Amino acid sequence: MVELHEDEFSRTDCLNCANCCKTTGPLFTQKDIERISKHFRMKPGEFIDTYLRLDEENDFVLQQVPCPFLGSDNYCSIYEKRPKACREYPHTDRKDFHKISSITIRNTAVCPAAYNIVEEMKRRLK
Ligand code: SF4
Ligand code: SF4
């Protein structure tokens, strides 16, 4: 999977896409919230009230998509501080990839790179 992931992303320019930032957005961990709120010189509670909500699984997610930190040029305005989930998306190079297959299938509908990686995996497994 790491090989397929690296191969696909060597051809993929996320700046021409940003579909994940436009349509889904990440989960925010407590560490993400602390780091990003500090970046904005906001209190974590103020950051949460402004940008986040709790989803059905009690995880902090964006109140709205597209992500408010996405620029019209598809650059992330908090790139260095972005949530861990953004850094790892679409998670196709994870060691425990086999444990997140339902997430990956969902991601193929959002991320063209994840779609291509899964298609290539299927081709090689035939
Ligand atoms: S924080 Fe940045 S990378 Fe993450 S969804 Fe928003 S714009 Fe995209
Ligand atoms: S959806 Fe996939 S290809 Fe598009 S920007 Fe996100 S990670 Fe990159």
Side-chain angles (χ1 to χ4, degrees):
M1 287 313 295
V2 170
E3 187 190 318
L4 297 184
H5 175 98
E6 284 174 359
D7 191 38
E8 180 60 31
F9 275 96
S10 70
R11 291 188 294 266
T12 302
D13 184 357
C14 286
L15 290 173
N16 288 330
C17 174
N19 211 30
C20 45
C21 314
K22 288 174 186 165
T23 63
T24 48
L27 300 184
F28 287 72
T29 65
Q30 210 54 47
K31 273 193 181 162
D32 292 330
I33 292 169
E34 282 163 22
R35 185 176 63 256
I36 301 167
S37 57
K38 195 170 167 196
H39 170 74
F40 286 119
R41 295 171 200 259
M42 291 168 99
K43 292 210 160 62
E46 195 187 345
F47 178 79
I48 290 168
D49 290 346
T50 310
Y51 295 109
L52 307 183
R53 65 176 175 85
L54 281 171
D55 70 5
E56 310 71 40
E57 281 148 28
N58 243 12
D59 290 314
F60 279 114
V61 295
L62 289 167
Q63 285 175 15
Q64 58 188 48
V65 286
C67 176
F69 310 120
L70 181 69
S72 55
D73 53 3
N74 285 346
Y75 275 88
C76 171
S77 63
I78 56 165
Y79 191 75
E80 296 302 326
K81 312 284 177 192
R82 70 196 188 286
K84 183 168 179 279
C86 299
R87 269 181 271 139
E88 295 179 353
Y89 192 86
H91 313 288
T92 33
D93 58 349
R94 265 175 56 165
K95 282 206 178 76
D96 60 350
F97 174 78
H98 58 289
K99 291 186 189 159
I100 58 159
S101 39
S102 59
I103 295 174
T104 301
I105 290 167
R106 230 182 302 144
N107 288 344
T108 60
V110 172
C111 174
Y115 176 84
N116 289 339
I117 290 165
V118 169
E119 286 301 303
E120 181 60 16
M121 180 188 73
K122 279 160 56 185
R123 196 188 65 76
R124 291 202 195 180
L125 287 174
K126 266 184 193 161

